[in-house]
Amino acid sequence: MTLFAGVLKLAGMASWRILFLSLFVALGLSSASAQAPPAVPPLPDQARLTSYSLTGSTCTCAVNFALYGDSTDYQSWVVVYINGVLAPYNGVNAWTITSPTGPLATIPRPVTDAILTFAAPVTGTVEIVGARRPRRTAQFNENQGVPARALNQLLTDIIAQNRETWDKINDVNGRGLFFPPGNVTGTLPPPSMCANQWLTFDATGLNPECSTPTNIGITLGTGVAAALAQPVTGSGGLML
């Protein structure tokens, strides 16, 4: 009996070892089969915008630049223009952004395969422009190392936002009206003073004003005819 019990005890120990080994191998295979997020791509030296010419299409267009926004509020990642007019995501020409990789809430950042789709067909020139609203809703854990991918994602996100700002306001080809370096200008008057008015400048040429439309004087070139909404007076003005 004692010898038989000893044999059973050894057999039981061997079974437990086999079981633990099987579980270990299974966990290892499971970890190996789980796909790691792709590497964070470099940021190309080009404007973060994509343009399409549509004719009665809902677009289903590739954004063509990486999106780093968190959460699912894609309207805080890009802006969309149709024929030069801003199209809010929930306006007349409503649009959404999705990814074939999966739900925006859970797929790795950046999103490199984003697709923009309009709720109804659109005709005209559509521009998708990067416009990430900066925020940082999570921090790295204290007193531990930071993976290289996490640093790449964060730093490239910052540079992408800098590029979007640079494209919008740089002195050479920005999308706003800018004075040459060294000039200090005043602010625009409030909208209540500028409704249906002309934008003009004071005697210094630096301070914007809003003025009531008045008659203007125009000198026409030889053989040029013009139809003006207001009477023409004086001898100076715009040369056509």
Side-chain angles (χ1 to χ4, degrees):
M1 291 293 295
T2 304
L3 177 61
F4 182 70
V7 170
L8 289 178
K9 182 177 181 181
L10 289 175
M13 293 177 61
S15 299
W16 280 110
R17 288 175 180 172
I18 293 173
L19 178 60
F20 281 126
L21 181 60
S22 299
L23 289 174
F24 180 78
V25 171
L27 290 174
L29 291 176
S30 176
S31 299
S33 63
Q35 292 185 348
V40 178
L43 188 73
D45 185 10
Q46 61 190 41
R48 289 174 54 78
L49 64 86
T50 305
S51 180
Y52 293 93
S53 181
L54 305 181
T55 302
S57 171
T58 57
C59 199
T60 313
C61 300
V63 173
N64 286 337
F65 53 87
L67 300 178
Y68 289 83
D70 57 1
S71 189
T72 59
D73 57 339
Y74 51 81
Q75 68 273 14
S76 300
W77 309 347
V78 301
V79 291
V80 176
Y81 291 85
I82 302 176
N83 295 324
V85 178
L86 184 65
Y89 82 103
N90 57 354
V92 175
N93 295 299
W95 50 268
T96 58
I97 285 183
T98 57
S99 167
T101 299
L104 291 180
T106 57
I107 59 177
R109 298 301 191 263
V111 181
T112 57
D113 57 358
I115 300 294
L116 182 137
T117 306
F118 288 101
V122 169
T123 296
T125 299
V126 172
E127 294 175 297
I128 308 168
V129 186
R132 168 104 147 92
R133 189 178 73 222
R135 65 187 177 199
R136 184 157 168 75
T137 58
Q139 301 284 58
F140 296 130
N141 292 329
E142 301 287 343
N143 302 316
Q144 69 178 45
V146 179
R149 189 189 189 282
L151 288 176
N152 283 333
Q153 178 180 331
L154 174 63
L155 294 176
T156 309
D157 182 13
I158 295 172
I159 299 301
Q161 293 176 50
N162 286 341
R163 180 59 190 249
E164 292 168 359
T165 303
W166 187 88
D167 286 333
K168 186 175 183 179
I169 67 173
N170 80 85
D171 287 342
V172 179
N173 60 355
R175 302 195 299 269
L177 296 174
F178 299 96
F179 287 82
N183 291 280
V184 179
T185 65
T187 59
L188 284 170
S192 60
M193 296 179 60
C194 293
N196 300 316
Q197 304 293 300
W198 285 355
L199 178 63
T200 60
F201 291 87
D202 67 3
T204 68
L206 295 174
N207 299 302
E209 300 176 331
C210 289
S211 306
T212 302
T214 58
N215 293 339
I216 57 175
I218 297 181
T219 301
L220 299 179
T222 303
V224 177
L228 301 176
Q230 300 204 39
V232 176
T233 60
S235 59
L238 178 66
M239 179 72 73
L240 301 177

